[in-house]
Each structure stands twice: as structure tokens, then as C-alpha cells.
Coordinates of all heavy atoms in Angstrom, one line a residue:
M130 N 7.5 25.1 -10.1 CA 7.6 24.0 -11.0 C 8.1 22.7 -10.1 O 7.9 21.6 -10.4 CB 8.7 24.2 -12.1 CG 8.7 23.1 -13.1 SD 7.2 22.9 -14.0 CE 7.7 21.7 -15.2
S131 N 8.8 23.1 -9.0 CA 9.3 22.0 -8.1 C 8.2 21.3 -7.5 O 8.3 20.1 -7.2 CB 10.4 22.5 -7.2 OG 9.7 23.4 -6.3
D132 N 7.1 21.9 -7.2 CA 5.9 21.4 -6.4 C 5.3 20.3 -7.5 O 4.9 19.2 -7.0 CB 4.8 22.3 -6.2 CG 5.3 23.2 -4.9 OD1 6.2 22.8 -4.1 OD2 4.8 24.3 -4.8
F133 N 5.2 20.6 -8.7 CA 4.9 19.8 -9.7 C 5.6 18.5 -9.9 O 5.1 17.4 -10.0 CB 4.5 20.4 -11.1 CG 4.0 19.7 -12.1 CD1 2.6 19.2 -12.0 CD2 4.7 19.2 -13.2 CE1 2.0 18.4 -13.0 CE2 4.1 18.4 -14.2 CZ 2.8 18.0 -14.1
K134 N 6.9 18.7 -9.9 CA 7.8 17.5 -10.0 C 7.7 16.6 -8.7 O 7.7 15.5 -8.8 CB 9.3 18.1 -10.0 CG 9.5 18.7 -11.5 CD 11.0 19.1 -11.4 CE 11.4 19.7 -12.8 NZ 12.8 20.1 -12.8
G135 N 7.5 17.3 -7.6 CA 7.3 16.5 -6.4 C 6.0 15.7 -6.3 O 6.0 14.6 -5.9
L136 N 5.0 16.3 -7.0 CA 3.7 15.5 -7.0 C 3.8 14.4 -8.0 O 3.4 13.4 -7.8 CB 2.7 16.6 -7.6 CG 1.2 16.0 -7.7 CD1 0.7 15.5 -6.3 CD2 0.3 17.1 -8.3
L137 N 4.5 14.7 -9.2 CA 4.8 13.6 -10.1 C 5.5 12.5 -9.6 O 5.3 11.2 -9.7 CB 5.5 14.1 -11.4 CG 4.5 14.8 -12.4 CD1 5.4 15.4 -13.5 CD2 3.4 14.0 -12.9
M138 N 6.6 12.8 -8.7 CA 7.4 11.8 -8.1 C 6.6 10.9 -7.2 O 6.7 9.7 -7.1 CB 8.7 12.4 -7.4 CG 9.7 12.9 -8.4 SD 10.3 11.6 -9.5 CE 11.3 10.8 -8.2
G139 N 5.8 11.7 -6.4 CA 5.0 11.0 -5.4 C 3.9 10.0 -6.1 O 3.7 8.9 -5.7
M140 N 3.4 10.5 -7.2 CA 2.5 9.6 -8.0 C 3.2 8.4 -8.5 O 2.7 7.3 -8.6 CB 1.7 10.4 -9.0 CG 0.7 11.4 -8.5 SD -0.1 12.6 -9.6 CE 0.0 11.9 -11.3
L141 N 4.4 8.6 -8.9 CA 5.2 7.5 -9.5 C 5.6 6.4 -8.5 O 5.4 5.3 -8.6 CB 6.6 8.0 -10.1 CG 7.4 7.0 -10.8 CD1 6.7 6.2 -11.9 CD2 8.8 7.6 -11.1
V142 N 5.9 6.9 -7.2 CA 6.1 6.0 -6.1 C 4.9 5.1 -5.8 O 4.9 4.1 -5.4 CB 6.7 6.7 -4.9 CG1 6.7 6.0 -3.7 CG2 8.1 7.3 -5.2
A143 N 3.8 5.9 -5.6 CA 2.5 5.4 -5.3 C 2.2 4.1 -6.3 O 1.7 3.1 -6.0 CB 1.5 6.2 -5.2
A144 N 2.4 4.4 -7.6 CA 2.1 3.6 -8.7 C 3.0 2.2 -8.6 O 2.6 1.2 -8.7 CB 2.2 4.1 -10.1
I145 N 4.3 2.5 -8.4 CA 5.2 1.4 -8.2 C 4.8 0.6 -6.9 O 4.9 -0.6 -7.1 CB 6.6 2.0 -8.1 CG1 7.1 2.6 -9.4 CG2 7.6 0.9 -7.6 CD1 8.4 3.3 -9.3
L146 N 4.5 1.2 -5.8 CA 4.1 0.5 -4.6 C 2.8 -0.3 -4.9 O 2.6 -1.4 -4.4 CB 3.9 1.4 -3.5 CG 5.1 1.9 -2.9 CD1 4.9 2.9 -1.8 CD2 6.1 0.8 -2.4
Y147 N 1.8 0.2 -5.7 CA 0.6 -0.4 -6.0 C 0.9 -1.8 -6.8 O 0.3 -2.8 -6.5 CB -0.2 0.5 -6.9 CG -1.6 0.0 -7.2 CD1 -2.7 0.0 -6.2 CD2 -1.8 -0.6 -8.4 CE1 -3.8 -0.7 -6.5 CE2 -3.0 -1.2 -8.8 CZ -4.1 -1.0 -7.7 OH -5.3 -1.5 -8.0
V148 N 1.8 -1.7 -7.7 CA 2.2 -2.9 -8.5 C 2.9 -3.9 -7.6 O 2.7 -5.1 -7.6 CB 3.0 -2.4 -9.8 CG1 3.6 -3.7 -10.4 CG2 2.1 -1.6 -10.8
L149 N 3.9 -3.3 -6.8 CA 4.7 -4.3 -6.0 C 4.0 -5.0 -5.0 O 4.2 -6.2 -4.6 CB 5.9 -3.5 -5.4 CG 7.0 -3.1 -6.3 CD1 8.1 -2.3 -5.5 CD2 7.7 -4.2 -6.9
D150 N 2.9 -4.3 -4.4 CA 2.1 -4.9 -3.5 C 1.2 -6.2 -4.0 O 0.9 -7.0 -3.2 CB 1.1 -3.9 -2.8 CG 1.6 -3.2 -1.6 OD1 2.6 -3.6 -1.0 OD2 1.1 -2.1 -1.3
R151 N 1.1 -6.3 -5.2 CA 0.5 -7.3 -5.8 C 1.2 -8.6 -5.9 O 0.7 -9.6 -5.9 CB -0.2 -6.9 -7.2 CG -1.1 -5.8 -7.2 CD -2.0 -5.9 -8.2 NE -3.0 -4.9 -8.3 CZ -4.1 -4.7 -7.3 NH1 -4.3 -5.7 -6.5 NH2 -4.9 -3.7 -7.5
Y152 N 2.5 -8.4 -6.0 CA 3.4 -9.5 -6.3 C 4.3 -10.0 -5.0 O 4.8 -11.0 -4.9 CB 4.3 -9.3 -7.4 CG 3.5 -9.1 -8.7 CD1 3.4 -7.8 -9.2 CD2 2.7 -10.0 -9.3 CE1 2.6 -7.6 -10.3 CE2 1.9 -9.9 -10.4 CZ 1.9 -8.6 -10.9 OH 1.1 -8.3 -12.0
L153 N 4.5 -9.0 -4.1 CA 5.4 -9.4 -3.0 C 4.5 -9.8 -1.8 O 3.4 -9.7 -1.9 CB 6.2 -8.1 -2.6 CG 7.2 -7.5 -3.7 CD1 7.8 -6.3 -3.2 CD2 8.3 -8.6 -3.9
P154 N 5.1 -10.4 -0.8 CA 4.5 -10.9 0.3 C 3.6 -9.9 1.0 O 3.8 -8.7 0.8 CB 5.5 -11.5 1.2 CG 6.7 -11.6 0.4 CD 6.6 -10.7 -0.6
K155 N 2.5 -10.3 1.8 CA 1.6 -9.4 2.4 C 2.3 -8.4 3.3 O 1.8 -7.2 3.4 CB 0.6 -10.2 3.3 CG -0.3 -11.1 2.5 CD -1.2 -11.8 3.5 CE -2.1 -12.7 2.8 NZ -3.1 -13.5 3.6
W156 N 3.3 -8.7 4.0 CA 4.0 -7.9 5.0 C 4.7 -6.7 4.3 O 5.1 -5.8 5.0 CB 4.8 -8.6 5.9 CG 5.9 -9.5 5.2 CD1 5.8 -10.8 4.8 CD2 7.1 -9.0 4.7 NE1 6.9 -11.2 4.2 CE2 7.7 -10.2 4.0 CE3 7.8 -7.8 4.8 CZ2 9.0 -10.0 3.5 CZ3 9.0 -7.7 4.1 CH2 9.7 -8.9 3.6
F157 N 5.0 -6.9 3.0 CA 5.8 -5.8 2.4 C 5.0 -4.4 2.4 O 5.7 -3.4 2.5 CB 6.1 -6.3 0.9 CG 6.9 -5.1 0.1 CD1 8.1 -4.9 0.3 CD2 6.0 -4.3 -0.7 CE1 8.7 -3.9 -0.3 CE2 6.6 -3.3 -1.4 CZ 8.1 -3.1 -1.3
G158 N 3.8 -4.4 2.4 CA 3.0 -3.2 2.3 C 3.3 -2.3 3.5 O 3.0 -1.0 3.5
A159 N 3.6 -2.9 4.7 CA 3.9 -2.2 6.0 C 5.3 -1.4 5.8 O 5.3 -0.5 6.5 CB 3.9 -3.1 7.2
I160 N 6.1 -1.8 5.0 CA 7.5 -1.3 5.1 C 7.5 0.1 4.6 O 8.0 1.1 5.2 CB 8.5 -2.2 4.3 CG1 8.6 -3.5 5.1 CG2 9.8 -1.4 4.0 CD1 9.5 -4.6 4.3
P161 N 6.9 0.4 3.4 CA 6.9 1.9 2.9 C 6.1 2.8 3.9 O 6.6 3.9 4.1 CB 6.1 1.8 1.6 CG 6.2 0.4 1.1 CD 6.2 -0.5 2.4
G162 N 5.0 2.3 4.6 CA 4.4 3.2 5.5 C 5.3 3.5 6.7 O 5.3 4.7 7.2
I163 N 6.1 2.5 7.2 CA 6.9 2.8 8.3 C 8.0 3.6 7.9 O 8.5 4.5 8.7 CB 7.4 1.4 8.9 CG1 6.2 0.6 9.5 CG2 8.5 1.6 9.9 CD1 6.5 -0.8 9.8
A164 N 8.6 3.4 6.7 CA 9.7 4.2 6.3 C 9.3 5.7 6.1 O 10.1 6.6 6.5 CB 10.3 3.6 4.9
F165 N 8.1 5.8 5.5 CA 7.5 7.3 5.3 C 7.4 8.0 6.7 O 7.7 9.1 6.8 CB 6.2 7.2 4.5 CG 5.7 8.6 4.3 CD1 6.4 9.3 3.2 CD2 4.6 9.0 4.8 CE1 5.8 10.7 3.0 CE2 4.1 10.3 4.6 CZ 4.6 11.1 3.6
L166 N 6.8 7.2 7.6 CA 6.6 7.7 9.0 C 8.0 8.3 9.6 O 8.0 9.3 10.1 CB 5.9 6.7 9.9 CG 5.7 7.2 11.3 CD1 4.8 8.4 11.4 CD2 5.2 6.0 12.1
L167 N 8.9 7.4 9.5 CA 10.2 7.7 10.1 C 10.9 8.9 9.4 O 11.4 9.7 9.9 CB 11.2 6.5 10.0 CG 10.9 5.3 10.9 CD1 11.7 4.1 10.6 CD2 10.8 5.7 12.3
L168 N 10.7 8.9 8.0 CA 11.2 10.0 7.3 C 10.6 11.3 7.7 O 11.2 12.3 7.8 CB 11.1 9.9 5.7 CG 11.5 11.0 4.7 CD1 12.9 11.2 4.9 CD2 10.9 10.7 3.5
M169 N 9.2 11.3 7.9 CA 8.5 12.6 8.1 C 8.8 13.0 9.5 O 8.9 14.2 9.9 CB 6.9 12.3 8.0 CG 6.6 12.3 6.5 SD 7.1 13.7 5.6 CE 6.3 15.0 6.4
L170 N 9.0 12.1 10.5 CA 9.4 12.5 11.8 C 10.7 13.0 11.8 O 11.0 14.1 12.6 CB 9.4 11.1 12.7 CG 8.1 10.7 13.1 CD1 8.2 9.3 13.9 CD2 7.2 11.7 13.9
Y171 N 11.8 12.6 11.0 CA 13.0 13.2 10.9 C 12.9 14.6 10.4 O 13.5 15.5 10.9 CB 13.8 12.3 9.9 CG 15.2 13.0 9.6 CD1 16.3 13.1 10.6 CD2 15.5 13.6 8.3 CE1 17.5 13.7 10.2 CE2 16.6 14.3 8.1 CZ 17.6 14.3 8.9 OH 18.7 14.8 8.7
I172 N 12.0 14.7 9.3 CA 11.8 16.0 8.8 C 11.1 17.2 9.7 O 11.5 18.2 9.8 CB 11.1 16.0 7.4 CG1 12.0 15.3 6.3 CG2 10.6 17.3 6.8 CD1 11.2 14.9 5.0
I173 N 10.2 16.5 10.5 CA 9.4 17.4 11.4 C 10.5 18.0 12.5 O 10.4 19.1 12.8 CB 8.4 16.5 12.0 CG1 7.2 16.6 11.1 CG2 7.9 17.3 13.4 CD1 6.1 15.5 11.6
F174 N 11.4 17.1 12.9 CA 12.3 17.5 14.0 C 13.6 18.3 13.5 O 14.3 18.9 14.3 CB 12.7 16.3 14.8 CG 11.5 15.9 15.7 CD1 11.1 14.6 15.5 CD2 10.9 16.7 16.7 CE1 9.9 14.1 16.2 CE2 9.8 16.2 17.3 CZ 9.4 14.9 17.1
T175 N 13.9 18.1 12.2 CA 15.1 18.8 11.8 C 15.0 20.0 10.8 O 15.7 20.9 10.9 CB 16.0 17.7 11.0 OG1 15.4 17.2 9.9 CG2 16.4 16.6 11.9
K176 N 13.9 20.0 10.1 CA 13.7 21.2 9.1 C 12.9 22.2 9.8 O 12.1 22.0 10.7 CB 12.9 20.6 7.8 CG 13.6 19.5 7.1 CD 14.8 19.9 6.4 CE 15.5 18.9 5.7 NZ 16.7 19.2 5.0
D177 N 13.1 23.4 9.3 CA 12.5 24.5 9.9 C 11.3 25.0 8.9 O 11.6 25.9 8.1 CB 13.6 25.6 10.1 CG 12.9 26.6 11.1 OD1 12.0 26.3 11.9 OD2 13.5 27.7 11.2
Q178 N 10.3 24.4 8.9 CA 9.1 24.8 8.0 C 7.9 24.8 9.0 O 7.9 24.5 10.1 CB 9.0 23.8 6.9 CG 10.1 23.8 5.9 CD 9.9 22.7 4.9 OE1 9.1 21.8 5.1 NE2 10.7 22.7 3.8
S179 N 6.8 25.1 8.3 CA 5.4 25.1 8.9 C 5.1 23.7 9.4 O 5.1 22.7 8.6 CB 4.4 25.6 8.1 OG 3.1 25.3 8.5
L180 N 4.7 23.7 10.8 CA 4.4 22.3 11.3 C 3.1 21.8 10.7 O 3.0 20.7 10.5 CB 4.2 22.5 12.7 CG 3.9 21.2 13.6 CD1 4.9 20.1 13.4 CD2 3.6 21.4 15.0
L181 N 2.2 22.6 10.3 CA 0.9 22.3 9.8 C 1.1 21.7 8.4 O 0.5 20.7 8.1 CB -0.1 23.5 9.6 CG -1.4 23.3 9.0 CD1 -2.1 22.2 9.9 CD2 -2.2 24.6 8.9
T182 N 2.1 22.2 7.6 CA 2.3 21.6 6.2 C 2.9 20.1 6.4 O 2.5 19.3 5.7 CB 3.3 22.5 5.6 OG1 2.7 23.8 5.5 CG2 3.6 21.9 4.2
K183 N 3.8 20.0 7.4 CA 4.5 18.7 7.6 C 3.5 17.7 8.1 O 3.5 16.6 7.6 CB 5.7 19.0 8.6 CG 6.7 19.7 8.1 CD 7.9 19.6 9.1 CE 8.3 20.9 9.5 NZ 9.3 21.1 10.4
L184 N 2.7 18.1 9.0 CA 1.7 17.1 9.5 C 0.7 16.8 8.4 O 0.2 15.6 8.4 CB 0.9 17.7 10.7 CG 1.7 17.8 12.0 CD1 0.9 18.5 13.1 CD2 2.2 16.4 12.4
T185 N 0.3 17.8 7.6 CA -0.6 17.4 6.3 C 0.1 16.4 5.5 O -0.6 15.4 5.1 CB -1.0 18.7 5.7 OG1 -1.6 19.7 6.6 CG2 -2.1 18.5 4.5
V186 N 1.3 16.6 5.1 CA 2.0 15.7 4.2 C 2.0 14.4 5.0 O 1.8 13.4 4.2 CB 3.3 16.3 3.9 CG1 4.2 15.2 3.2 CG2 3.3 17.5 3.0
L187 N 2.2 14.4 6.2 CA 2.3 13.0 7.0 C 1.2 12.3 6.9 O 1.0 11.1 6.6 CB 2.7 13.3 8.4 CG 2.8 12.1 9.3 CD1 3.8 11.0 8.9 CD2 3.0 12.5 10.7
I188 N 0.0 13.0 7.2 CA -1.4 12.3 7.3 C -1.8 11.8 5.9 O -2.3 10.7 5.7 CB -2.3 13.3 7.9 CG1 -2.1 13.5 9.4 CG2 -3.8 12.7 7.8 CD1 -2.9 14.5 10.1
V189 N -1.6 12.7 4.9 CA -2.1 12.3 3.5 C -1.2 11.2 3.0 O -1.7 10.3 2.4 CB -2.0 13.5 2.7 CG1 -2.2 13.2 1.1 CG2 -3.0 14.6 3.0
G190 N 0.1 11.3 3.1 CA 1.1 10.2 2.7 C 0.7 8.9 3.3 O 0.7 7.9 2.7
E191 N 0.6 8.9 4.7 CA 0.2 7.6 5.4 C -1.2 7.0 5.0 O -1.3 5.8 4.7 CB 0.2 7.8 6.9 CG 1.7 7.8 7.4 CD 2.4 6.6 7.4 OE1 1.8 5.5 7.4 OE2 3.5 6.6 7.4
A192 N -2.1 8.0 4.7 CA -3.4 7.6 4.2 C -3.3 6.9 2.8 O -3.9 5.7 2.5 CB -4.3 8.7 4.2
I193 N -2.5 7.4 2.0 CA -2.4 6.9 0.7 C -1.6 5.6 0.7 O -2.1 4.5 0.1 CB -1.7 7.9 -0.3 CG1 -2.5 9.0 -0.6 CG2 -1.2 7.1 -1.6 CD1 -1.8 10.2 -1.3
L194 N -0.6 5.5 1.4 CA 0.3 4.2 1.5 C -0.5 3.1 2.1 O -0.5 2.0 1.6 CB 1.5 4.5 2.3 CG 2.7 5.4 1.5 CD1 3.8 5.7 2.5 CD2 3.1 4.7 0.2
N195 N -1.2 3.3 3.3 CA -1.9 2.4 3.9 C -3.2 2.0 3.2 O -3.6 0.8 3.1 CB -2.4 2.8 5.3 CG -1.1 2.8 6.2 OD1 -0.1 2.1 6.1 ND2 -1.1 3.7 7.2
G196 N -3.9 2.9 2.4 CA -4.9 2.6 1.6 C -4.5 1.7 0.5 O -5.3 0.8 0.1
I197 N -3.4 1.8 -0.2 CA -2.8 1.0 -1.2 C -2.7 -0.4 -0.6 O -3.1 -1.4 -1.1 CB -1.7 1.5 -1.8 CG1 -1.8 2.8 -2.8 CG2 -0.9 0.4 -2.6 CD1 -0.6 3.5 -3.1
W198 N -2.1 -0.5 0.6 CA -1.8 -1.7 1.3 C -3.1 -2.5 1.6 O -3.2 -3.7 1.3 CB -0.9 -1.5 2.4 CG -0.5 -2.7 3.1 CD1 -0.2 -4.0 2.7 CD2 -0.3 -2.9 4.5 NE1 0.2 -4.9 3.6 CE2 0.2 -4.3 4.8 CE3 -0.4 -2.0 5.6 CZ2 0.4 -4.7 6.0 CZ3 -0.1 -2.6 6.9 CH2 0.3 -3.8 7.2
L199 N -4.0 -1.8 2.2 CA -5.3 -2.4 2.7 C -6.1 -2.8 1.4 O -6.7 -4.0 1.5 CB -6.1 -1.5 3.6 CG -5.4 -1.2 4.9 CD1 -6.2 -0.2 5.6 CD2 -5.2 -2.5 5.6
E200 N -6.0 -2.1 0.3 CA -6.9 -2.5 -0.8 C -6.3 -3.8 -1.4 O -7.0 -4.7 -1.8 CB -6.7 -1.4 -1.9 CG -7.5 -1.7 -3.2 CD -7.4 -0.6 -4.2 OE1 -7.1 0.6 -3.8 OE2 -7.5 -0.9 -5.4
T201 N -5.0 -3.9 -1.4 CA -4.3 -5.1 -1.9 C -4.6 -6.2 -1.2 O -4.9 -7.3 -1.7 CB -2.7 -4.8 -2.1 OG1 -2.5 -3.7 -2.8 CG2 -2.0 -6.0 -2.7
L202 N -4.6 -6.0 0.2 CA -5.0 -7.2 1.0 C -6.4 -7.7 0.9 O -6.6 -8.9 0.8 CB -4.7 -6.8 2.6 CG -3.4 -6.6 3.1 CD1 -3.3 -6.1 4.5 CD2 -2.6 -7.9 2.9
E203 N -7.3 -6.8 0.6 CA -8.7 -7.2 0.3 C -8.9 -7.9 -0.9 O -9.5 -8.9 -1.0 CB -9.7 -6.0 0.3 CG -9.8 -5.4 1.8 CD -10.7 -4.0 1.7 OE1 -11.2 -3.7 0.6 OE2 -10.6 -3.3 2.8
E204 N -8.1 -7.4 -2.0 CA -8.2 -8.0 -3.2 C -7.5 -9.6 -3.1 O -8.1 -10.4 -3.8 CB -7.5 -7.3 -4.4 CG -8.2 -6.1 -4.6 CD -7.5 -5.2 -5.7 OE1 -6.6 -5.7 -6.4 OE2 -8.1 -4.1 -5.9
R205 N -6.5 -9.6 -2.4 CA -5.8 -11.0 -2.2 C -6.9 -11.9 -1.4 O -7.0 -13.1 -1.8 CB -4.6 -11.0 -1.4 CG -3.4 -10.4 -2.2 CD -2.2 -10.4 -1.4 NE -1.1 -9.9 -2.1 CZ 0.2 -10.0 -1.7 NH1 0.4 -10.6 -0.6 NH2 1.1 -9.5 -2.4
K206 N -7.5 -11.3 -0.6 CA -8.5 -12.1 0.3 C -9.6 -12.6 -0.6 O -10.1 -13.8 -0.6 CB -9.1 -11.4 1.5 CG -9.9 -12.2 2.3 CD -10.4 -11.3 3.6 CE -11.2 -12.1 4.5 NZ -11.5 -11.3 5.6
K207 N -10.2 -11.8 -1.5 CA -11.3 -12.0 -2.4 C -10.7 -13.2 -3.4 O -11.5 -14.0 -3.7 CB -11.8 -10.8 -3.2 CG -12.5 -9.9 -2.3 CD -13.0 -8.6 -3.1 CE -13.6 -7.6 -2.3 NZ -13.9 -6.4 -3.2
K208 N -9.5 -13.0 -3.9 CA -9.0 -14.0 -4.8 C -8.9 -15.4 -4.2 O -9.2 -16.4 -4.8 CB -7.7 -13.4 -5.3 CG -7.0 -14.3 -6.3 CD -5.7 -13.8 -6.9 CE -5.1 -14.7 -7.9 NZ -3.8 -14.2 -8.3
S209 N -8.5 -15.4 -3.0 CA -8.3 -16.7 -2.2 C -9.6 -17.4 -2.0 O -9.8 -18.6 -2.1 CB -7.5 -16.6 -1.0 OG -8.1 -15.8 0.0
I210 N -10.5 -16.4 -1.6 CA -12.0 -17.0 -1.5 C -12.5 -17.6 -2.7 O -13.1 -18.7 -2.7 CB -13.0 -16.0 -0.9 CG1 -12.5 -15.6 0.6 CG2 -14.3 -16.3 -1.0 CD1 -13.2 -14.4 1.2
K211 N -12.3 -17.0 -3.9 CA -12.8 -17.5 -5.1 C -12.1 -18.8 -5.4 O -12.7 -19.8 -6.0 CB -12.5 -16.5 -6.3 CG -13.5 -15.3 -6.3 CD -13.2 -14.5 -7.5 CE -14.1 -13.3 -7.4 NZ -13.7 -12.3 -8.5
E212 N -10.8 -18.9 -5.2 CA -10.0 -20.2 -5.5 C -10.6 -21.3 -4.5 O -10.7 -22.4 -5.1 CB -8.6 -19.9 -5.3 CG -7.9 -19.1 -6.3 CD -6.5 -18.9 -6.0 OE1 -5.9 -19.4 -5.0 OE2 -5.9 -18.0 -6.7
I213 N -10.8 -21.0 -3.3 CA -11.4 -22.0 -2.4 C -12.8 -22.5 -2.9 O -13.0 -23.7 -2.9 CB -11.4 -21.4 -1.1 CG1 -10.0 -21.3 -0.4 CG2 -12.3 -22.4 -0.1 CD1 -10.0 -20.6 0.9
E214 N -13.6 -21.5 -3.5 CA -14.9 -21.9 -3.9 C -14.8 -22.8 -5.1 O -15.6 -23.7 -5.3 CB -15.7 -20.6 -4.2 CG -16.3 -19.9 -3.0 CD -16.9 -18.6 -3.4 OE1 -17.0 -18.4 -4.5 OE2 -17.4 -18.0 -2.4
K215 N -13.8 -22.5 -5.9 CA -13.6 -23.4 -7.2 C -13.2 -24.8 -6.8 O -13.6 -25.7 -7.4 CB -12.6 -22.7 -8.1 CG -13.0 -21.5 -8.9 CD -11.9 -21.0 -9.7 CE -12.2 -19.8 -10.5 NZ -11.1 -19.2 -11.2
M216 N -12.3 -24.8 -5.8 CA -11.8 -26.2 -5.3 C -13.0 -27.0 -4.6 O -13.1 -28.2 -4.9 CB -10.7 -25.9 -4.3 CG -9.5 -25.6 -4.9 SD -8.1 -25.6 -3.9 CE -8.3 -24.3 -2.7
K217 N -13.8 -26.3 -3.9 CA -14.9 -26.8 -3.3 C -15.9 -27.4 -4.4 O -16.5 -28.4 -4.3 CB -15.8 -26.0 -2.4 CG -15.0 -25.7 -1.1 CD -15.8 -24.9 -0.1 CE -15.1 -24.6 1.1 NZ -15.8 -23.6 2.0
A218 N -16.2 -26.6 -5.4 CA -17.1 -27.0 -6.5 C -16.4 -28.2 -7.2 O -17.2 -29.2 -7.5 CB -17.2 -25.9 -7.5
K219 N -15.2 -28.3 -7.4 CA -14.6 -29.6 -8.1 C -14.7 -30.8 -7.2 O -14.9 -31.8 -7.7 CB -13.1 -29.3 -8.4 CG -12.9 -28.3 -9.5 CD -11.4 -28.0 -9.7 CE -11.3 -27.1 -10.9 NZ -9.8 -26.9 -11.2
D220 N -14.6 -30.5 -5.9 CA -14.6 -31.7 -4.9 C -16.2 -32.2 -5.0 O -16.3 -33.5 -4.9 CB -14.3 -31.2 -3.5 CG -12.8 -31.0 -3.3 OD1 -12.0 -31.6 -4.2 OD2 -12.4 -30.3 -2.4
I221 N -17.1 -31.3 -5.1 CA -18.5 -31.8 -5.1 C -18.7 -32.5 -6.3 O -19.4 -33.5 -6.3 CB -19.4 -30.5 -5.0 CG1 -19.4 -30.0 -3.5 CG2 -20.9 -30.9 -5.2 CD1 -20.1 -28.6 -3.4
L222 N -18.2 -32.1 -7.4 CA -18.4 -32.7 -8.7 C -17.7 -34.1 -8.7 O -18.3 -35.0 -9.3 CB -17.9 -32.0 -9.9 CG -18.6 -30.7 -10.3 CD1 -18.0 -30.0 -11.3 CD2 -20.0 -31.2 -10.7
R223 N -16.5 -34.3 -8.1 CA -15.9 -35.6 -8.0 C -16.6 -36.5 -7.1 O -16.6 -37.8 -7.4 CB -14.5 -35.3 -7.5 CG -13.7 -34.7 -8.4 CD -12.2 -34.5 -7.9 NE -11.3 -33.7 -8.8 CZ -10.3 -33.2 -8.5 NH1 -9.8 -33.2 -7.2 NH2 -9.7 -32.4 -9.3
K224 N -17.3 -36.1 -6.1 CA -18.1 -37.0 -5.1 C -19.3 -37.5 -5.9 O -19.8 -38.5 -5.6 CB -18.4 -36.2 -3.9 CG -17.2 -36.0 -3.0 CD -17.6 -35.3 -1.8 CE -16.4 -34.9 -0.9 NZ -16.7 -34.2 0.3
K225 N -19.8 -36.9 -6.8 CA -21.1 -37.3 -7.4 C -20.8 -38.4 -8.4 O -20.5 -39.3 -8.8 CB -21.7 -36.2 -8.2 CG -22.4 -35.1 -7.3 CD -23.1 -34.1 -8.1 CE -23.7 -33.2 -7.2 NZ -24.4 -32.1 -7.9

């Protein structure tokens, strides 16, 4: 049952980060990835478990965190491009 609780907690954290990345500055998305990396390095060197399991968690976790961050950056870029196109269209209409 603890594995299921851990999975639910991980999904909750990912959902919170997904929402926060939309409203906080661009650089915020790097902080959870760095914090997770440091936490996993600490766990790798201090806990006595399978190294393969720890590396799997590290790789999957970083992939999820960085995926959320990069997706948010792409959406922000698309949104800014749309806003610029709208402003250019308004400028063209004003010149006529």
C-alpha cells in the first residue's frame, strides 16, 4: 500500500508543479528539477538499496519534471507569438 501512496503523492506533486509553472516566472521550473536531483544524489549515497532502482527513479523523475517545465515554456512561447501577431494585425489596421 505504501507504493500506491508514494505514487499518488508523486502525481500530486507533478500536478501542483504543472499548475505553478503556468503562473510563476520561467526560471521557477528549474528549481524542482535541481532539488529532486540533489535529493536523489543524497539518497543514492546514504541509503542502502538497489542502485538500479534509485537510478530508475532519478531518470524517470527528472524526465517528468523537465518535461513539465519544457512543455510550459513552449506554451508560453506560443502564447507570446499569438499576442505579437494580434498586435501586428492591429497595427496594420491602424495604418490603413
Side-chain angles (χ1 to χ4, degrees):
M130 189 66 172
S131 66
D132 290 337
F133 183 68
K134 286 181 183 178
L136 182 63
L137 284 177
M138 289 299 291
M140 289 174 22
L141 180 65
V142 168
I145 290 170
L146 289 174
Y147 183 77
V148 171
L149 286 178
D150 272 345
R151 301 215 177 276
Y152 300 108
L153 295 175
K155 291 179 183 180
W156 54 266
F157 175 78
I160 294 173
I163 293 169
F165 183 73
L166 176 65
L167 294 175
L168 174 69
M169 286 307 298
L170 288 176
Y171 172 76
I172 289 173
I173 286 172
F174 291 119
T175 59
K176 302 290 180 182
D177 200 22
Q178 294 174 346
S179 168
L180 182 63
L181 181 63
T182 303
K183 291 185 234 178
L184 288 177
T185 303
V186 170
L187 174 64
I188 291 170
V189 171
E191 284 293 329
I193 291 171
L194 291 174
N195 290 333
I197 291 171
W198 182 34
L199 292 174
E200 180 184 338
T201 305
L202 287 177
E203 289 175 13
E204 288 179 14
R205 283 184 183 190
K206 187 176 180 180
K207 288 178 185 178
K208 184 178 178 181
S209 66
I210 289 172
K211 285 181 182 179
E212 289 176 4
I213 289 172
E214 288 176 358
K215 286 180 185 178
M216 288 189 289
K217 286 180 182 179
K219 286 181 182 179
D220 288 343
I221 290 173
L222 288 175
R223 288 182 188 160
K224 289 180 182 179
K225 288 183 179 180

